[in-house]
Amino acid sequence: MEFNPFSPAFKADPYAVYADLRENAPVSRTELHFWAVSRYDDVGYVLKNPQMFSSTGMGGAIGGGDATRSIISSDPPDHTMLRGLVNRAFTPKIVAEMEPRIRAVTRDLLDRIVDADEMDLVEDLAMPLPVTIIAELLGVEPERRHDFKRWSNAVVGVTPGDITSERARDLQEFQAYFTAAIEQRRAAPTDDLIGALVRAQGDQESLTAEEIVSFAMLLLIAGNETTTNLIGNAMEALLDHPDEMRRVRDDRSLIPNMIEEALRYDAPVQFLFRTATEDIDLGGVTIEKGNVVVPIYASANRDDRRYPDASRFDVTRNAQGHMAFGLGIHFCLGAPLARLEAKVAFEELFDRASNIAAAPGAERLDSLFLRGMRRLPLTFVPNATRAGVRAS
């Protein structure tokens, strides 16, 4: 079966293609002239060896360019310096301290539908929650949140050779807004993430305005779209497996493990791109220097060699080692935030709603390398509001 991520049939359900690749062509040259790597061990080898599989080709895939250094599209030593600077402004401590605010935003969003018996999980919760949190973290004004989401859609929708005039305008607006925000923070320092990045210094280097804009663009995916897709994909898996839904509702302590299983089972980021820096033997074939290599995280996560009966969704499974957030030096900076937001979202949703079921009108996201729901209508029975649930 051909791995063509542009195919509508593939986007609807890529997992049959992944299974065929793992069994019959684990490292295969595609008709699109790149190498698809599908088995767990091989994907891990690619991700753990950045000196052999460069990330420099990733800039165009997220709407950036090759001239500007970016965390996602750079190799050591640039990557080491960039990651070090950003880590200081985006630490686990900062994320942990955000839980009360994440819970308050979630409760406010659910308050708006508490008296209803239907919702669009994406529109009503999975999208506005991470958009609000990331926008606040960056220091985006509340009145610009709708613009922020529109820019996010433009970034995610970009594929090589497919930048429409509307998307180009949105990307230009994004760059103009954050370039101006950076200049404002140079003149008047702030405590938000953009302000922290402006102030950050390391090895006598600082981030340029272009590099900060690139990082903000990456956060649109790592801290916004990824979380939206995680929540949507997890709910879709629970809807398809009602026994697992009941297990989680009956035992809320399973929610963090369910989130890890959902990440493994249907990864929000399906794959990314690398470039071979030398001739490399992998999986019994030779990948020539300069060839594009696609390590397929979502396929690795469904490899029975690593996870027995991997195509089964099991909220009690030990999903440790899944690659939904990558591996090695490019492990996703937004992973702790995505996990926390998803945990809070499901805890609060299950407090408010019972008998959750799918309603007509579900639509999948149209993206080259992300997998998620654009719309996920649900019906439910509202629970009686618990004391202390509503945010003040």
Side-chain angles (χ1 to χ4, degrees):
M1 300 177 70
E2 175 65 14
F3 173 42
N4 180 357
F6 298 97
S7 163
F10 174 85
K11 290 180 180 179
D13 181 12
Y15 290 102
V17 175
Y18 296 159
D20 185 63
L21 289 175
R22 287 193 303 271
E23 294 309 309
N24 300 309
V27 181
S28 60
R29 178 82 165 177
T30 74
E31 291 182 1
L32 298 176
H33 307 296
F34 54 72
W35 290 90
V37 181
S38 53
R39 288 183 180 173
Y40 185 92
D41 287 345
D42 292 335
V43 171
Y45 184 81
V46 171
L47 298 180
K48 288 186 290 188
N49 288 279
Q51 74 281 5
M52 299 166 64
F53 299 93
S54 170
S55 297
T56 53
M58 272 302 303
I62 61 167
D66 293 334
T68 300
R69 295 181 303 177
S70 167
I71 293 174
I72 199 172
S73 61
S74 63
D75 301 318
D78 279 350
H79 177 271
T80 306
M81 186 277 290
L82 292 168
R83 181 100 181 192
L85 288 175
V86 172
N87 276 342
R88 301 177 194 180
F90 199 64
T91 66
K93 181 176 183 293
I94 290 175
V95 172
E97 291 173 349
M98 293 176 69
E99 180 167 355
R101 178 57 182 157
I102 292 170
R103 201 167 293 276
V105 171
T106 303
R107 289 174 176 176
D108 179 64
L109 291 168
L110 292 173
D111 277 345
R112 302 176 191 181
I113 59 162
V114 71
D115 296 324
D117 59 4
E118 60 183 7
M119 67 183 296
D120 180 340
L121 182 72
V122 176
E123 186 68 23
D124 294 327
L125 180 61
M127 183 272 286
L129 172 59
V131 165
T132 300
I133 297 302
I134 282 295
E136 289 181 355
L137 190 63
L138 287 168
V140 176
E141 301 87 348
E143 61 269 20
R144 300 303 298 269
R145 300 284 162 76
H146 290 293
D147 290 331
F148 192 82
K149 181 57 184 174
R150 177 166 51 84
W151 298 331
S152 176
N153 290 340
V155 172
V156 171
V158 167
T159 58
D162 182 33
I163 300 181
T164 65
S165 58
E166 183 177 0
R167 283 175 177 165
R169 181 204 66 205
D170 289 339
L171 291 171
Q172 289 172 353
E173 284 184 14
F174 174 92
Q175 286 191 309
Y177 172 85
F178 279 98
T179 298
I182 290 164
E183 291 306 311
Q184 291 167 2
R185 284 154 178 79
R186 292 197 195 281
T190 60
D191 292 330
D192 54 54
L193 182 54
I194 295 299
L197 292 173
V198 167
R199 295 192 305 274
Q201 297 287 324
D203 297 329
Q204 299 181 342
E205 290 191 69
S206 61
L207 294 176
T208 66
E210 291 79 10
E211 288 161 354
I212 296 174
V213 170
S214 178
F215 176 67
M217 186 174 289
L218 175 59
L219 271 187
L220 287 174
I221 299 173
N224 175 7
E225 294 292 344
T226 300
T227 305
T228 298
N229 296 339
L230 165 56
I231 294 171
N233 290 353
M235 179 57 76
E236 184 80 353
L238 291 171
L239 292 169
D240 289 343
H241 300 83
D243 289 343
E244 301 302 290
M245 173 89 82
R246 282 190 289 272
R247 293 173 80 177
V248 176
R249 282 196 54 83
D250 292 344
D251 182 359
R252 304 295 176 80
S253 69
L254 287 173
I255 288 176
N257 203 75
M258 179 275 291
I259 290 167
E260 297 307 310
E261 174 68 347
L263 285 162
R264 182 202 67 83
Y265 182 77
D266 198 7
V269 179
Q270 295 272 292
F271 53 84
L272 289 177
F273 304 93
R274 298 290 186 265
T275 303
T277 61
E278 57 187 88
D279 291 352
I280 301 164
D281 291 329
L282 183 65
V285 301
T286 299
I287 299 173
E288 296 181 350
K289 179 179 179 179
N291 283 183
V292 175
V293 179
V294 179
I296 310 174
Y297 309 161
S299 177
N301 290 341
R302 291 283 192 104
D303 192 340
D304 290 327
R305 298 163 187 80
R306 177 63 176 82
Y307 300 102
D309 198 10
S311 62
R312 179 171 58 89
F313 180 71
D314 178 359
V315 298
T316 64
R317 182 196 297 273
N318 180 0
Q320 183 177 3
H322 70 72
M323 298 185 191
F325 290 123
L327 189 68
I329 66 171
H330 285 280
F331 185 82
C332 179
L333 271 172
L337 182 57
R339 285 174 163 134
L340 178 58
E341 289 174 331
K343 179 180 82 74
V344 170
F346 277 99
E347 287 173 349
E348 296 294 331
L349 180 60
F350 286 153
D351 278 346
R352 303 295 188 94
S354 301
N355 300 331
I356 299 171
E363 295 179 11
R364 282 218 163 266
L365 184 72
D366 183 14
S367 175
L368 175 63
F369 56 91
L370 300 181
R371 179 169 167 82
M373 304 302 298
R374 184 183 301 279
R375 298 186 67 247
L376 186 54
L378 304 174
T379 60
F380 59 91
V381 175
N383 293 339
T385 303
R386 301 190 318 162
V389 163
R390 292 184 185 272
S392 58

